[in-house]
Each structure stands twice: as structure tokens, then as C-alpha cells.
Amino acid sequence: MIEFKMPSLGADMEAGTLAEWLVKPGDTVKRGDIIAVVDTQKGLIDIEVFDEGTISELVIKENEKVPVGTVMALIESGKEDLTKKEAIKPTSKIEEKKATEKISVVATPQFIKASPLAKRIAAEKGIELNTIKGTGEDGAITKEDVEKAIIEKMAPAAEKKITTTENIRMAVAAAMSKSNREIPHYYLETKVDMRKALTWLTETNKQRTVKQRLLPVILLLKAVAKALVEIPDLNGYWENGLQQKQDINIGFVVSLRGGGVMIPAIHNADKKTIDELMAALNDIIPRARAMKLRSSELSESTITVTNLGEGNVETVYGVIYPPQVAIVGFGSITEEPWAEMGMLDVRPVINITLSADHRATDGATGSRFLMAVKNHLQKPEIL
Amino acid sequence: MSNNNVIKLTYREALKQAIREAMQKDESVFLMGEDVGRYGGSFAVSKGLLQEFGPERIMDVPLSESGFVGAGIGAALNGMRPIVEVMTVNFSLLAMDQIVNNAATLLHMSGGQMNVPVVIRMSCGIGRQLAAQHSHSWEPLYTHIAGLKVLSAGTHEDARGMLLTALQDPDPVIIFEYTYLLNKEAEIAANAGAVDITKAKVRREGKDISIITYGAAVYKALGAASELATMGIDAEVVDLRVLRPLDEATIFNSVKKTHRALLVEEAWASVNVSSEVSARIMENIFYELDAPVQRLGGVEVPIPYPKHLEDASIPQQADIVNKVKKMLQHD
């Protein structure tokens, strides 16, 4: 039996509300199927399943809010359970991590001091005592504490119905506050001559239909992806030390019309061709704006790219999205005087910045990375 | 208008009016006790009653608690309705044998044939500088005895009305009266009379905490509740009134509402009435509690004579206020 759990869709997510089940007991599912819609601070998210089998039980009901890691459904897999679980788990780094966390919680059951009344009310309302801070004698949880928790639990749900914009604002606020509070950033900046890249792009686009045409940002994304292969330290998480990630999943900042941002991940950006990247971007941006992202797209980015070029701003210094360790910023491409080999010329120039976690890496690493991006952009034909 | 409906009187006067009314109503009621007649009662409760009812119904007795309590039991067995006054609760220990081995047991030992409708009144309590042998709270001793009904008159209303109902009871009833309250004046209904003696009573409604008490501590608890109200704490005061058998329903309903209980009494803290109330709350409504049940009892010393030490030996209004604030984590 495989347990399908409430996924974490970001560092700031603690719980989610099941909005809808898209499957029923008896349905067969395979890896990648969307089986549920979960309401989070970031709106309604499609949740994928990572296992194959038959849904045997839907454990939680629609409109129920549960903490991350709570079993939502049980999936009967045809093969031997344990080995299957072992075999499938490592395909997703994040899933694997969650599993170990879960075990450690079980291993050290904690006695929570709470009044009998508080325990009873919490049990009736389905609130976990370990999510409540006690204010009574010696930190005991009292009825008042539980009631406060109930109000807090109800309040976001009620608000969400009114506006998701506000919640996205809150989610961004929480993540960015955490970032500024916990991550010591260092910042690097470089100017890149984009003449070769843009010339190549213009030539390439000439041979394409309007629909197939490429945007400059694709070259930038590809260059970043390739640079990360060389400098893998910037592609990872800071969680009890630097954890490099195998997959290079670039989170692309999409600003929403009503304010706030979504950061969908472009999976395995280094392995995608330019065309595949363009297709991915064309697919993902409208879905992000419509808040119809899949859970894996929201939770699995390993680095973030922010591109403020459209707004004619020359330079952007990003704030790292925790627990990532770096964010790359692109300004707009502007014509500037450019000195090269003793000659002055006018070139299309872009300012590329790197904000990186100084706990994970130092300026030298960051500098090597920016140089790598720069070099890749000089050879657009082999990107 | 209100003056027509309420009267102001002392606790002593309330007790006297109760005895007078009982004797007027029923020829078989008589009062016996040390100095109740010519002296008017050691606390002047029965002053003037000898002239009104004569020596056969207001009966002075020798200093022999075991003897005259026994005589009262005998009279009751023979169809009279005696009120036996024991001067102070301390001396009642001399009559313990009569109370435990006769009054409390005869109905059972006669196979239900012999009721003992005796009412025994005792002055008790602390706060009049009467020292260790004249001021104690022995209520817990009597509440332990199966076969007795034990009442505590903590208010003027009950001082006026409990005796009348107790005299209707076919079985022995002990009424505790409080010397501390004798001179205290309060308003009661002009037509106040017999009161129910099966129920505890909520003397003040509140939602934050139940102060459960009896006897002379009732007014202190009410004073504390008023003081707490100025701090925004809404305390409920429950007067147990009937110490045996305990009215669980009233106690439990109050605690179910407030989810916290402070038990206050003047008797020594170990093995007192509060111990029993606390245990029953735990056994029956544990899951209603939002804080541990707390008790405020008397300091476990023989009651001192000096005023300041005597005051320090029992819970005072300020102690109740402080304890409640602590339980509610107020400031």
C-alpha cells in the first residue's frame, strides 16, 4: 500500500485544503496523473501522483485542511509494496526527504502539555496539538489557545474565497521575509554583450513561423542552465548545509496581473533544446497566471531566474527563494557604448546579476558562474 | 417599594427568627442547649425566647454534651422535634458518640423502623478571637458520616431558612452556623422563610472561574468576585450549602461553564470538603477542565488567638483574589 501525502508546495507551506478529488476508489493511476486539486495560499494547485496503482481509499474529504505530510489517499500497487516504494521514492528528491522527516517525528513521540478541555476540543475539531503554542502554566495548551488556532484555521479559508491575490501577497511576504532574515546574500553583477546572441536569434527567427519564434530570454535561460552544469554549487538547497540537486529545474518568476508572483519550474532545463524550452515557457506562463500549475512545477525548482527586462529596468538584484541558494536576475537589453580591443562601439548590452547564499558559496564561485553564462551567450549557435 | 420587600438584619437575628417561627408553627419543636434559656444563649441567639415560650420549650441543660445530645435523640425517637444547640463545634466532639453511633445509625440498625428527626445546631468557624478550643471548622468530620445530612449556613438567607426545612426532615440534620457572621448585617426578603436543603446555590454568576465554597467563606468569595470583576475577571461563586450529600449537579454545571475551579474553605486543607469536591470533579468532568483544580484551605495549625495570626490562618478575600489571578494568568 502506498501512502499519497499532502505535498509541500514551497518552503512556506504548512498545510493545504483539498479542494477536489479527481479520482475515486478503484481508479487506476500512473505516475504524473493529476489526482487532486489543493487550495493553498498560492491558489488552486493540481496535485500529481508519483506512483502507479489503484486508488484504494480516499482518506481525507474535500474541503478538509491538513498539514503537509498528511496521508490523503492510499494507493494499492500491484507489485510487492516495500520494494516498489523503495524503487519509486528516489526518483523524486523532495519526496524522499519528506519521508525521512516523517520517520523522525514518529521516532520521538512528544508529550504535549495541554489541559483536558483543550485536548478534547482539539480532538473534536481535528487540530493537531503540536501545531498550537500553549500560553498556560508551563506552556500548557489551554482552551483559549485551541480556540485561537481554530479561528486561524478558519480565517484563511474564508479569506481565500474572497481573494487569492491577498494570499499570494502573504505567501510572497512570508518567503521573502524568511529569506532576508535567514539568508546572508552576496551580490555580483556583470555586463554581457548580446550582439552575437541577438544576431543569431534574428537569423534563426527569420526561418521560423511566427508561432515558432524564439525570445531572447530563452537564450538566457539556456545559458544559465548550462552554466549550472559547470557550477553545480548554485543549484541546490541550504538545509543543514548545502545540498546540491541533480536536476536543474529553473524556477521562472512570473508576475501576476493582480500583483504577486508565481515561480513555476522548468524541469531539466539543461537537457532541453532551445525549442523545448520555448515550448515549456509558452505553456507555463499562461498557466501560472491562471493559477493552474501542477504541484511538481511549484515545488521542485532548484534555482530561480527573474527577468525584469520587459520593464526597461537595467538591473535587478533578486531575493533568494528559500531554501534555494541563488537567484539570477536579467535586466533589459539596452544599447550602450562598448569598448573592446581599444575600439569603441555601440552594442546591445544586458546586466546579469547573481544573488547567492553566502553560507553555501562565496563570491569566487558566483563569479565563475557569471563568466560561464557570459561565455555561453557568446556562442548562441551551440547553446 | 424595595423597603417593603427586603429587610436588613444581622445573622444572629436571622437565626433567632428561624427558631421562633419553627416553635410557633409546631408544638413539638423545642430548643435545648447550654445557656440557651436564662442567659439567652452564649451568642445571644435565643435571647428573649425563654420569656416567649417558657422553660419547657427553651430548655437549659447541664455541661454534658454527650448527655443532652443523647436526650435530644431520645426525644426525637419519641415523636418530638428537638433543636439541640451545641455551643461551639469543638464541644460537639464530646457528643460524637451519640451523633455517630445513635443518630446516624439507628434508622439502618432498626431496619428502617426508627427515624431520628433531630436537628443539631453548632456554632463554628474562625475570626472572633476565640482561640484553639472554641473556633474550628469541623465540618469535614461530620461530612464523613453516613446517615447524616450536613448543612452550612453561609448566608443570612440560609440562617433564616435552613432550620425550618431541617425540622421537616425525618432524619438527623446538623446545621453549622458561623460566629464570625453573627454581627454582620445583610438584606433578605421580608417574607424569607424555609429554604431548600438539597441543592448548592450559585450566589454569583460568572464565566471565567468557579469559586466553590461554603460557610463564612461565602461572603469573602463574593467580595473577591466583586474585586476581580474590576479587573475584568468574571468569577462565579458557588455556595455548597449542603455538605452531605453533595449536590454534584450544581457543582459540575458551574465547572462545565467556567472550566476552572478554585475550592475555598476555612477548614484545614488536608482531607477537607474541598478534597472531596475536587475528587468528584476529576472523576466525573475531567475533560471539562482547562486548568488543574486548586484549593485554598486553612493553615494546618490550632487556630491562634492573636487577631493577625488568626486572620493569617484562614483564606481571606485577598488570598482568593490572588489565587484566581494566578490561575487565570492575569497580568
Side-chain angles (χ1 to χ4, degrees), chain A residues 115-120 135-138 141-144, chain B residues 257-260 286-292 294 326 329:
Chain A
S115 82
L117 181 65
K119 281 183 179 166
R120 198 192 72 197
T135 61
E137 205 178 326
D138 292 333
I141 296 168
T142 64
K143 167 175 153 256
E144 206 183 353
Chain B
K257 181 167 74 165
T258 64
H259 307 295
R260 297 178 186 88
F286 179 73
Y287 294 101
E288 295 288 343
L289 290 174
D290 203 26
Q294 298 285 332
K326 201 175 165 206
Q329 304 230 320

mmCIF file of all heavy atoms in Angstrom, chain A residues 115-120 135-138 141-144, chain B residues 257-260 286-292 294 326 329:
data_model
loop_
_atom_site.group_PDB
_atom_site.id
_atom_site.type_symbol
_atom_site.label_atom_id
_atom_site.label_comp_id
_atom_site.label_asym_id
_atom_site.label_seq_id
_atom_site.Cartn_x
_atom_site.Cartn_y
_atom_site.Cartn_z
ATOM 1 N N SER A 115 -4.396 21.148 28.646
ATOM 2 C CA SER A 115 -5.470 20.886 29.600
ATOM 3 C C SER A 115 -6.400 19.839 28.997
ATOM 4 O O SER A 115 -6.488 19.703 27.783
ATOM 5 C CB SER A 115 -6.235 22.163 29.910
ATOM 6 O OG SER A 115 -7.190 22.430 28.908
ATOM 7 N N PRO A 116 -7.090 19.090 29.863
ATOM 8 C CA PRO A 116 -8.004 18.067 29.342
ATOM 9 C C PRO A 116 -9.024 18.677 28.381
ATOM 10 O O PRO A 116 -9.339 18.095 27.351
ATOM 11 C CB PRO A 116 -8.700 17.531 30.593
ATOM 12 C CG PRO A 116 -7.820 17.905 31.736
ATOM 13 C CD PRO A 116 -7.052 19.124 31.327
ATOM 14 N N LEU A 117 -9.498 19.861 28.719
ATOM 15 C CA LEU A 117 -10.504 20.516 27.869
ATOM 16 C C LEU A 117 -9.902 20.876 26.513
ATOM 17 O O LEU A 117 -10.511 20.657 25.474
ATOM 18 C CB LEU A 117 -11.024 21.776 28.564
ATOM 19 C CG LEU A 117 -12.106 22.550 27.817
ATOM 20 C CD1 LEU A 117 -13.377 21.729 27.703
ATOM 21 C CD2 LEU A 117 -12.408 23.866 28.521
ATOM 22 N N ALA A 118 -8.675 21.406 26.550
ATOM 23 C CA ALA A 118 -8.010 21.789 25.302
ATOM 24 C C ALA A 118 -7.825 20.561 24.415
ATOM 25 O O ALA A 118 -8.061 20.603 23.216
ATOM 26 C CB ALA A 118 -6.663 22.436 25.605
ATOM 27 N N LYS A 119 -7.434 19.450 25.040
ATOM 28 C CA LYS A 119 -7.240 18.211 24.271
ATOM 29 C C LYS A 119 -8.544 17.766 23.633
ATOM 30 O O LYS A 119 -8.582 17.354 22.485
ATOM 31 C CB LYS A 119 -6.732 17.095 25.190
ATOM 32 C CG LYS A 119 -5.254 17.206 25.484
ATOM 33 C CD LYS A 119 -4.796 16.039 26.319
ATOM 34 C CE LYS A 119 -3.308 16.155 26.588
ATOM 35 N NZ LYS A 119 -2.858 15.256 27.644
ATOM 36 N N ARG A 120 -9.616 17.860 24.424
ATOM 37 C CA ARG A 120 -10.908 17.400 23.911
ATOM 38 C C ARG A 120 -11.352 18.253 22.726
ATOM 39 O O ARG A 120 -11.758 17.732 21.691
ATOM 40 C CB ARG A 120 -11.954 17.468 25.026
ATOM 41 C CG ARG A 120 -13.179 16.623 24.720
ATOM 42 C CD ARG A 120 -14.317 16.914 25.681
ATOM 43 N NE ARG A 120 -14.885 18.208 25.386
ATOM 44 C CZ ARG A 120 -15.659 18.887 26.215
ATOM 45 N NH1 ARG A 120 -15.899 18.398 27.428
ATOM 46 N NH2 ARG A 120 -16.157 20.041 25.885
ATOM 47 N N THR A 135 -0.134 28.837 26.114
ATOM 48 C CA THR A 135 0.142 30.054 26.883
ATOM 49 C C THR A 135 -0.156 29.855 28.366
ATOM 50 O O THR A 135 -0.038 30.761 29.154
ATOM 51 C CB THR A 135 -0.704 31.235 26.378
ATOM 52 O OG1 THR A 135 -2.086 30.901 26.538
ATOM 53 C CG2 THR A 135 -0.418 31.548 24.934
ATOM 54 N N GLY A 136 -0.596 28.633 28.714
ATOM 55 C CA GLY A 136 -0.954 28.374 30.113
ATOM 56 C C GLY A 136 0.275 28.118 30.974
ATOM 57 O O GLY A 136 1.414 28.379 30.566
ATOM 58 N N GLU A 137 0.011 27.605 32.161
ATOM 59 C CA GLU A 137 1.082 27.330 33.108
ATOM 60 C C GLU A 137 2.123 26.401 32.468
ATOM 61 O O GLU A 137 1.777 25.387 31.872
ATOM 62 C CB GLU A 137 0.461 26.651 34.334
ATOM 63 C CG GLU A 137 1.267 26.840 35.587
ATOM 64 C CD GLU A 137 0.575 26.188 36.774
ATOM 65 O OE1 GLU A 137 -0.664 26.188 36.821
ATOM 66 O OE2 GLU A 137 1.302 25.666 37.630
ATOM 67 N N ASP A 138 3.382 26.742 32.559
ATOM 68 C CA ASP A 138 4.465 25.950 31.971
ATOM 69 C C ASP A 138 4.224 25.655 30.493
ATOM 70 O O ASP A 138 4.550 24.568 30.008
ATOM 71 C CB ASP A 138 4.643 24.614 32.718
ATOM 72 C CG ASP A 138 5.159 24.833 34.119
ATOM 73 O OD1 ASP A 138 5.842 25.853 34.347
ATOM 74 O OD2 ASP A 138 4.858 24.000 34.991
ATOM 75 N N ILE A 141 -1.167 23.996 26.860
ATOM 76 C CA ILE A 141 -2.145 24.488 25.898
ATOM 77 C C ILE A 141 -3.505 24.558 26.583
ATOM 78 O O ILE A 141 -3.951 23.584 27.187
ATOM 79 C CB ILE A 141 -2.203 23.554 24.671
ATOM 80 C CG1 ILE A 141 -0.852 23.579 23.948
ATOM 81 C CG2 ILE A 141 -3.323 23.963 23.727
ATOM 82 C CD1 ILE A 141 -0.701 22.498 22.905
ATOM 83 N N THR A 142 -4.133 25.701 26.516
ATOM 84 C CA THR A 142 -5.438 25.876 27.150
ATOM 85 C C THR A 142 -6.521 25.963 26.087
ATOM 86 O O THR A 142 -6.226 26.018 24.890
ATOM 87 C CB THR A 142 -5.479 27.178 27.976
ATOM 88 O OG1 THR A 142 -5.326 28.289 27.085
ATOM 89 C CG2 THR A 142 -4.362 27.213 29.009
ATOM 90 N N LYS A 143 -7.738 25.984 26.578
ATOM 91 C CA LYS A 143 -8.896 26.098 25.684
ATOM 92 C C LYS A 143 -8.744 27.327 24.786
ATOM 93 O O LYS A 143 -9.011 27.262 23.595
ATOM 94 C CB LYS A 143 -10.148 26.208 26.564
ATOM 95 C CG LYS A 143 -11.400 26.644 25.860
ATOM 96 C CD LYS A 143 -12.576 26.590 26.837
ATOM 97 C CE LYS A 143 -13.659 27.579 26.473
ATOM 98 N NZ LYS A 143 -13.722 28.764 27.288
ATOM 99 N N GLU A 144 -8.298 28.436 25.392
ATOM 100 C CA GLU A 144 -8.154 29.677 24.634
ATOM 101 C C GLU A 144 -7.180 29.500 23.466
ATOM 102 O O GLU A 144 -7.433 29.963 22.358
ATOM 103 C CB GLU A 144 -7.641 30.760 25.588
ATOM 104 C CG GLU A 144 -8.021 32.155 25.160
ATOM 105 C CD GLU A 144 -7.425 33.202 26.103
ATOM 106 O OE1 GLU A 144 -6.836 32.820 27.145
ATOM 107 O OE2 GLU A 144 -7.548 34.380 25.780
ATOM 108 N N LYS B 257 -19.229 25.211 32.793
ATOM 109 C CA LYS B 257 -19.373 26.530 32.182
ATOM 110 C C LYS B 257 -18.039 27.305 32.210
ATOM 111 O O LYS B 257 -17.646 27.912 31.221
ATOM 112 C CB LYS B 257 -20.450 27.315 32.930
ATOM 113 C CG LYS B 257 -20.712 28.708 32.356
ATOM 114 C CD LYS B 257 -21.973 29.323 32.923
ATOM 115 C CE LYS B 257 -21.785 29.775 34.342
ATOM 116 N NZ LYS B 257 -22.848 30.672 34.823
ATOM 117 N N THR B 258 -17.349 27.231 33.349
ATOM 118 C CA THR B 258 -16.146 28.070 33.511
ATOM 119 C C THR B 258 -14.851 27.319 33.217
ATOM 120 O O THR B 258 -13.823 27.926 32.965
ATOM 121 C CB THR B 258 -16.049 28.601 34.949
ATOM 122 O OG1 THR B 258 -15.874 27.491 35.836
ATOM 123 C CG2 THR B 258 -17.304 29.362 35.330
ATOM 124 N N HIS B 259 -14.888 26.001 33.307
ATOM 125 C CA HIS B 259 -13.735 25.133 33.020
ATOM 126 C C HIS B 259 -12.583 25.261 34.016
ATOM 127 O O HIS B 259 -11.510 24.717 33.787
ATOM 128 C CB HIS B 259 -13.216 25.351 31.602
ATOM 129 C CG HIS B 259 -14.299 25.232 30.573
ATOM 130 N ND1 HIS B 259 -14.958 24.055 30.343
ATOM 131 C CD2 HIS B 259 -14.847 26.158 29.747
ATOM 132 C CE1 HIS B 259 -15.871 24.250 29.391
ATOM 133 N NE2 HIS B 259 -15.824 25.516 29.039
ATOM 134 N N ARG B 260 -12.810 26.019 35.108
ATOM 135 C CA ARG B 260 -11.768 26.132 36.136
ATOM 136 C C ARG B 260 -12.448 26.141 37.490
ATOM 137 O O ARG B 260 -13.529 26.707 37.641
ATOM 138 C CB ARG B 260 -10.988 27.434 35.983
ATOM 139 C CG ARG B 260 -10.220 27.555 34.683
ATOM 140 C CD ARG B 260 -9.537 28.902 34.622
ATOM 141 N NE ARG B 260 -8.906 29.095 33.338
ATOM 142 C CZ ARG B 260 -9.520 29.606 32.291
ATOM 143 N NH1 ARG B 260 -10.775 29.993 32.385
ATOM 144 N NH2 ARG B 260 -8.879 29.754 31.142
ATOM 145 N N PHE B 286 -13.472 15.551 34.235
ATOM 146 C CA PHE B 286 -12.057 15.852 33.967
ATOM 147 C C PHE B 286 -11.858 16.580 32.639
ATOM 148 O O PHE B 286 -11.113 17.540 32.539
ATOM 149 C CB PHE B 286 -11.282 14.539 33.954
ATOM 150 C CG PHE B 286 -9.816 14.686 33.663
ATOM 151 C CD1 PHE B 286 -8.963 15.214 34.610
ATOM 152 C CD2 PHE B 286 -9.292 14.284 32.446
ATOM 153 C CE1 PHE B 286 -7.604 15.332 34.357
ATOM 154 C CE2 PHE B 286 -7.940 14.395 32.176
ATOM 155 C CZ PHE B 286 -7.100 14.918 33.140
ATOM 156 N N TYR B 287 -12.572 16.138 31.618
ATOM 157 C CA TYR B 287 -12.351 16.695 30.285
ATOM 158 C C TYR B 287 -12.977 18.073 30.080
ATOM 159 O O TYR B 287 -12.914 18.639 28.998
ATOM 160 C CB TYR B 287 -12.803 15.708 29.215
ATOM 161 C CG TYR B 287 -11.936 14.474 29.242
ATOM 162 C CD1 TYR B 287 -12.370 13.296 29.839
ATOM 163 C CD2 TYR B 287 -10.643 14.524 28.745
ATOM 164 C CE1 TYR B 287 -11.544 12.191 29.919
ATOM 165 C CE2 TYR B 287 -9.808 13.425 28.814
ATOM 166 C CZ TYR B 287 -10.262 12.259 29.399
ATOM 167 O OH TYR B 287 -9.437 11.180 29.473
ATOM 168 N N GLU B 288 -13.596 18.588 31.139
ATOM 169 C CA GLU B 288 -14.088 19.966 31.083
ATOM 170 C C GLU B 288 -13.041 20.938 31.624
ATOM 171 O O GLU B 288 -13.197 22.146 31.513
ATOM 172 C CB GLU B 288 -15.375 20.119 31.912
ATOM 173 C CG GLU B 288 -16.554 19.335 31.369
ATOM 174 C CD GLU B 288 -17.101 19.942 30.078
ATOM 175 O OE1 GLU B 288 -16.800 21.109 29.789
ATOM 176 O OE2 GLU B 288 -17.821 19.222 29.361
ATOM 177 N N LEU B 289 -12.006 20.414 32.245
ATOM 178 C CA LEU B 289 -11.056 21.288 32.939
ATOM 179 C C LEU B 289 -10.036 21.896 31.991
ATOM 180 O O LEU B 289 -9.458 21.215 31.154
ATOM 181 C CB LEU B 289 -10.318 20.497 34.021
ATOM 182 C CG LEU B 289 -11.159 20.087 35.224
ATOM 183 C CD1 LEU B 289 -10.338 19.192 36.137
ATOM 184 C CD2 LEU B 289 -11.652 21.307 35.986
ATOM 185 N N ASP B 290 -9.828 23.194 32.177
ATOM 186 C CA ASP B 290 -8.810 23.875 31.385
ATOM 187 C C ASP B 290 -7.607 24.234 32.250
ATOM 188 O O ASP B 290 -6.637 24.805 31.765
ATOM 189 C CB ASP B 290 -9.411 25.134 30.760
ATOM 190 C CG ASP B 290 -8.640 25.582 29.526
ATOM 191 O OD1 ASP B 290 -8.003 24.726 28.885
ATOM 192 O OD2 ASP B 290 -8.658 26.772 29.210
ATOM 193 N N ALA B 291 -7.690 23.909 33.530
ATOM 194 C CA ALA B 291 -6.575 24.153 34.453
ATOM 195 C C ALA B 291 -6.766 23.185 35.618
ATOM 196 O O ALA B 291 -7.876 22.719 35.863
ATOM 197 C CB ALA B 291 -6.602 25.586 34.949
ATOM 198 N N PRO B 292 -5.675 22.866 36.333
ATOM 199 C CA PRO B 292 -5.831 21.970 37.486
ATOM 200 C C PRO B 292 -6.752 22.606 38.528
ATOM 201 O O PRO B 292 -6.714 23.814 38.741
ATOM 202 C CB PRO B 292 -4.406 21.853 38.039
ATOM 203 C CG PRO B 292 -3.510 22.312 36.951
ATOM 204 C CD PRO B 292 -4.290 23.288 36.132
ATOM 205 N N GLN B 294 -7.761 23.846 41.999
ATOM 206 C CA GLN B 294 -6.916 24.364 43.077
ATOM 207 C C GLN B 294 -7.734 24.497 44.351
ATOM 208 O O GLN B 294 -8.939 24.691 44.306
ATOM 209 C CB GLN B 294 -6.359 25.744 42.698
ATOM 210 C CG GLN B 294 -5.475 25.741 41.466
ATOM 211 C CD GLN B 294 -4.093 25.163 41.732
ATOM 212 O OE1 GLN B 294 -3.591 25.241 42.855
ATOM 213 N NE2 GLN B 294 -3.491 24.552 40.721
ATOM 214 N N LYS B 326 -3.723 34.175 39.648
ATOM 215 C CA LYS B 326 -2.646 33.250 39.272
ATOM 216 C C LYS B 326 -3.170 32.148 38.353
ATOM 217 O O LYS B 326 -2.551 31.808 37.347
ATOM 218 C CB LYS B 326 -2.050 32.641 40.540
ATOM 219 C CG LYS B 326 -0.662 32.096 40.329
ATOM 220 C CD LYS B 326 -0.043 31.620 41.621
ATOM 221 C CE LYS B 326 1.172 30.771 41.298
ATOM 222 N NZ LYS B 326 1.462 29.811 42.355
ATOM 223 N N GLN B 329 -3.693 33.396 35.015
ATOM 224 C CA GLN B 329 -2.501 34.029 34.446
ATOM 225 C C GLN B 329 -2.786 35.480 34.123
ATOM 226 O O GLN B 329 -2.472 35.990 33.046
ATOM 227 C CB GLN B 329 -2.059 33.294 33.188
ATOM 228 C CG GLN B 329 -1.827 31.828 33.466
ATOM 229 C CD GLN B 329 -0.497 31.369 32.953
ATOM 230 O OE1 GLN B 329 -0.041 31.744 31.895
ATOM 231 N NE2 GLN B 329 0.158 30.552 33.741
#
